[in-house]
């Protein structure tokens, strides 16, 4: 995948590209920029740093069964968002996404999920989130063509959605 440019509603230009092993420092800095609440919503527990093993897992991906994209500010190079899908079955990938606090609710998460869907080669996305994470619930329920599963247990919610077919082309980035 070639890097793509996207202009957000606030006129920020975002570069979206595959994650690379060289992004370890970028990921570490990005985590420190998240509010504790946003980090908790993404990792389902407090998170202030990554271990070397976690950074290796998060950045050294095959872009086939583990697809990961980063969105960076085109001017500063600062991390804005990370989205990934990890195949957990032949037809299903687990979806995980985090968007930095000041860039939330601008459509970036939705666009990243669409890009992952193009690349993941699966029929379903599974997302695990805090049951009260309205943004993640909206994103998952609004993305899929059909909700296969929506289960809440012990404050955690799992939603499984059918990925739109590739025939439903995603609008190109501008």
């Amino acid at each position: 995948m070639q890097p793509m440019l996207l202009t957000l509603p606030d006129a920020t230009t975002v570069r979206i590209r595959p994650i690379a092993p060289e992004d370890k420092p970028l990921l570490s800095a990005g985590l420190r920029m998240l509010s504790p609440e946003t980090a908790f919503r993404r990792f389902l527990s407090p998170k202030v740093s990554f271990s070397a093993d976690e950074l290796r897992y998060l950045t050294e991906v095959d872009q086939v069964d583990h697809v990961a994209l980063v969105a960076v500010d085109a001017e500063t190079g600062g991390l804005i968002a990370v989205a990934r899908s990890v195949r957990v079955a032949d037809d299903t990938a687990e979806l995980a996404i985090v968007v930095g606090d000041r860039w939330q609710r601008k459509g970036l998460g939705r666009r990243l999920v669409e890009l992952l869907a193009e690349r993941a080669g699966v029929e379903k996305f599974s997302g695990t989130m805090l049951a009260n994470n309205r943004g993640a619930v909206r994103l998952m329920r609004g993305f899929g063509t059909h909700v296969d599963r929506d289960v809440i247990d012990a404050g955690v919610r799992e939603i499984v959605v059918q990925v739109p077919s590739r025939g439903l082309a995603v609008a190109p980035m501008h």
Side-chain angles (χ1 to χ4, degrees):
M1 167 185 164
Q2 293 295 318
M4 307 169 100
L5 291 178
L6 173 67
T7 302
L8 299 177
D10 68 354
T12 301
T13 302
V14 176
R15 182 175 309 279
I16 300 173
R17 61 173 175 75
I19 203 162
E22 299 77 34
D23 288 324
K24 289 175 181 72
L26 186 69
L27 232 55
S28 291
L31 177 60
R32 290 190 301 272
M33 300 287 292
L34 296 176
S35 69
E37 179 184 351
T38 295
F40 191 91
R41 283 193 317 247
R42 164 57 182 90
F43 297 101
L44 306 180
S45 66
K47 189 76 169 163
V48 296
S49 66
F50 294 118
S51 69
D53 286 343
E54 288 171 324
L55 284 170
R56 198 171 12 267
Y57 172 77
L58 294 171
T59 61
E60 297 177 19
V61 305
D62 63 12
Q63 296 295 350
V64 176
D65 291 324
H66 185 166
V67 180
L69 303 174
V70 292
V72 296
D73 185 308
E75 290 183 24
T76 68
L79 186 64
I80 293 174
V82 180
R84 70 184 60 247
S85 67
V86 178
R87 188 180 303 272
V88 294
D90 285 344
D91 67 344
T92 306
E94 185 174 348
L95 181 66
I97 186 166
V98 65
V99 177
D101 294 84
R102 75 176 252 226
W103 296 280
Q104 294 175 8
R105 291 175 287 286
K106 297 181 184 209
L108 181 57
R110 168 74 184 214
R111 187 63 180 121
L112 287 167
V113 172
E114 291 169 347
L115 290 167
L116 284 176
E118 290 176 359
R119 287 159 180 76
V122 294
E123 297 171 19
K124 300 175 188 177
F125 274 151
S126 168
T128 302
M129 65 215 67
L130 295 173
N132 64 356
N133 185 341
R134 288 189 187 134
V137 171
R138 245 188 336 271
L139 181 65
M140 286 295 291
R141 292 182 71 79
F143 174 72
T145 58
H146 173 76
V147 176
D148 279 358
R149 177 180 162 104
D150 189 344
V151 177
I152 299 174
D153 184 29
V156 176
R157 180 179 212 149
E158 180 193 18
I159 299 176
V160 178
V161 297
Q162 293 286 324
V163 173
S165 73
R166 292 184 184 167
L168 300 174
V170 176
M173 297 184 79
H174 298 6

